[in-house]
Amino acid sequence: MSVTDTEKLEGGRRSSGVTTPPEGGWGWMIVAGCFLSTVCIRAVTRCVSMFFVEFQLHFGKDYSRTAWIHSLIDCTTMLCAPLGGVLAHRFSCRTTVMLGGFISSFGLVLSSFASSLEFLYASLGVITGLGFALSYTPTVAMVGTYFSERKALAYGVAMSGSGIGTFVLAPAVQLLIERYSWRGALLVLGGLVSNLCVCGALMRRAPPRTAEHNMNEPDFDLATPQSKTRGGALALRQVARGSRVAECVLFSNKLTETMPRGAARSDPEPPHHDSGQRDAGPGDPGAPASTRPPWEEYGFLLIPDFLVLSASFLFLAYGCSAPVVYLVPFALGVGVADQRAALLMSLFGVSGIVGNVTFGWIADRKCLRRYRVMSYAAAIGMEGLCCLLLHLLHSFSLLLPFSLFYGYFDGAYVALIPVVTCDAVGSSYLTSALGVVYFLHAIPYLISPPIGGWLVDITGNYAATFSLSGASFMFSSGILAAAMLVGHLRGAAEPRAMALTQ
């Protein structure tokens, strides 16, 4: 990467105008805020499946119609995720997250007064899902602006809130249902979710810090395992020898150089000029609105690496919804007691914590950073294998290891989604990119549980539902594996082609 006129040479190192994350400090409070938000959003969403049988019995509806409640809350959360990113850029993360907390809490409280299934579609599915969408995207994206070297570990800790929340809330919700009925349980959850306003109060923009780079240290491309790594971009193709690496994100007005076939580097940030003015960030409570034009805000959509990830996310989203929705009803159907069925959800959550942290720590090791996508694909593939075997498990002793293994790999891929996305597009585009990523989850989340319920209604068992989810996981993993294989073959062929031309 060439040195711009704003860089200074000092003892073999260069100090550039590009800012780098502070790697800690208030960032750990951001991690704590994201942790609490995943408890209030993802764990509460998972625990909606605890109400499945109650809703079905109270309103006298079949599996497929009752499943629309969980589908709508998940779909609305993901469908409106780009709106959360837009509002965070337009106003601030703090304002957006607190607004989302108020809306989602109101939706849950309103749901406790539901008189029909259609009422729950609107209150629990749409209103609560909208609030979750406004809160989720900004809090997750904010973690990436504070960390680079320890990004995967930070995300592992932050996203473990989903597992811890599920572990604690699953038996708690079951007790609340038994003591206060499903209406009282929803009312209590509405009070819990109001803590998203506290999460929003913690959000503030990362302070700028000048980056220093070793001039003798080469850059790398993730598609070439032989390359040396210092933290670069996700690339599923070989970057030609001698290519010039961009200092800033692709499509930014502040580009100093471009590379003919390369991908954007990890964590690029727009340079700060000497005029004393700074760009507005999504997490700065007092920052003015973002001045980046819309066509540049979503310029990352043309990056091939992101397109490959997007295709994988579509199949992943279909696979991951149905097992969570139908695990408890399936366990009850094979004779597992109510409290033991709730325990399966708790164990699913606590093993997800281990997956969050261990995969986050592993992905941050310098020798393994270039294998982040491989780790992510492996976690998805193992989840698919678990789903394919689930319908064969007809006792609590067999469902117990399933919950542990499935939860572990679920936590692993959840922690790595923001990491591989940030590697693909850079941290300055992370808020918008995560909005698009979660948007891609919307339609699969909407149709997966009702299709699964329809298959249960017509077959009388869960075999087709879980097998379809497992196949979707496998296909998602296969897309990434194929892309990595193509990138590896191109990388191996390119040196030979260059040698022939010399």
Side-chain angles (χ1 to χ4, degrees), residues 154-422:
Y155 271 120
V157 174
M159 305 304 283
S160 67
S162 177
I164 293 177
T166 305
F167 174 71
V168 175
L169 287 179
V173 167
Q174 184 63 40
L175 289 174
L176 288 171
I177 292 173
E178 293 174 359
R179 182 175 289 260
Y180 302 111
S181 80
W182 62 268
R183 297 184 186 275
L186 285 175
L187 194 62
V188 173
L189 287 179
L192 172 68
V193 167
S194 65
N195 284 287
L196 284 171
C197 297
V198 179
C199 301
L202 296 174
M203 298 295 116
R204 77 181 187 196
R205 186 176 184 267
R209 195 179 71 167
T210 303
E212 287 189 356
H213 304 293
N214 191 331
M215 295 180 62
N216 299 319
E217 191 169 334
D219 296 315
F220 90 111
D221 187 334
L222 224 152
T224 56
Q226 298 83 6
S227 303
K228 300 292 182 180
T229 175
R230 209 182 53 79
L234 167 68
L236 302 178
R237 61 191 182 280
Q238 175 77 7
V239 177
R241 183 177 301 173
S243 294
R244 303 168 72 87
V245 183
E247 286 279 4
C248 303
V249 180
L250 292 172
F251 304 100
S252 170
N253 339 17
K254 302 181 178 69
L255 271 174
T256 56
E257 295 175 305
T258 59
M259 49 186 177
R261 300 178 52 226
R265 287 181 55 81
S266 175
D267 304 320
E269 296 283 352
H272 292 263
H273 300 291
D274 296 334
S275 62
Q277 297 178 347
R278 59 179 174 83
D279 294 321
D284 192 348
S290 175
T291 58
R292 183 184 287 164
W295 57 86
E296 291 186 2
E297 185 65 42
Y298 291 93
F300 60 86
L301 292 173
L302 301 178
I303 299 176
D305 301 334
F306 184 77
L307 295 177
V308 172
L309 279 176
S310 298
S312 174
F313 288 145
L314 287 173
F315 291 96
L316 165 68
Y318 183 90
C320 67
S321 186
V324 176
V325 175
Y326 292 112
L327 175 60
V328 172
F330 173 71
L332 295 174
V334 297
V336 177
D338 292 352
Q339 289 297 330
R340 285 197 165 191
L343 179 61
L344 290 174
M345 284 297 292
S346 295
L347 293 174
F348 167 79
V350 75
S351 60
I353 303 166
V354 182
N356 288 143
V357 177
T358 55
F359 265 71
W361 183 84
I362 290 171
D364 269 342
R365 301 306 93 194
K366 289 186 177 181
C367 59
L368 298 176
R369 282 179 193 162
R370 60 181 179 267
Y371 299 114
R372 281 173 174 171
V373 181
M374 189 180 297
S375 301
Y376 171 75
I380 296 173
M382 291 303 298
E383 280 220 289
L385 181 61
C386 290
C387 284
L388 291 174
L389 299 176
L390 177 55
H391 69 280
L392 302 174
L393 312 177
H394 292 159
S395 67
F396 177 77
S397 59
L398 294 176
L399 289 171
L400 182 63
F402 165 81
S403 291
L404 294 175
F405 281 105
Y406 185 84
Y408 177 80
F409 291 110
D410 181 83
Y413 89 75
V414 166
L416 290 177
I417 282 178
V419 177
V420 296
T421 302
C422 189

Side-chain angles (χ1 to χ4, degrees), residues 18-94:
V18 180
T19 59
T20 59
E23 296 294 341
W26 188 259
W28 293 115
M29 294 301 295
I30 301 296
V31 169
C34 185
F35 174 91
L36 182 57
S37 74
T38 54
V39 171
C40 295
I41 298 173
R42 300 313 302 162
V44 169
T45 300
R46 286 176 177 177
C47 288
V48 170
S49 64
M50 305 295 297
F51 295 89
F52 189 94
V53 176
E54 298 296 325
F55 291 154
Q56 192 176 24
L57 294 175
H58 183 84
F59 297 109
K61 304 298 181 180
D62 57 19
Y63 276 86
S64 59
R65 293 190 66 181
T66 308
W68 278 104
I69 298 173
H70 197 286
S71 295
L72 283 170
I73 190 173
D74 258 338
C75 176
T76 307
T77 300
M78 301 307 170
L79 193 66
C80 298
L83 178 62
V86 169
L87 292 180
H89 277 291
R90 179 64 180 84
F91 302 105
S92 70
C93 273
R94 176 174 296 177

Side-chain angles (χ1 to χ4, degrees), residues 128-161:
T128 302
L130 174 61
F132 284 167
L134 298 183
S135 298
Y136 191 57
T137 304
T139 53
V140 173
M142 183 60 65
V143 176
T145 66
Y146 274 83
F147 294 91
S148 177
E149 298 295 320
R150 291 179 288 181
K151 184 189 303 171
L153 178 60
Y155 271 120
V157 174
M159 305 304 283
S160 67

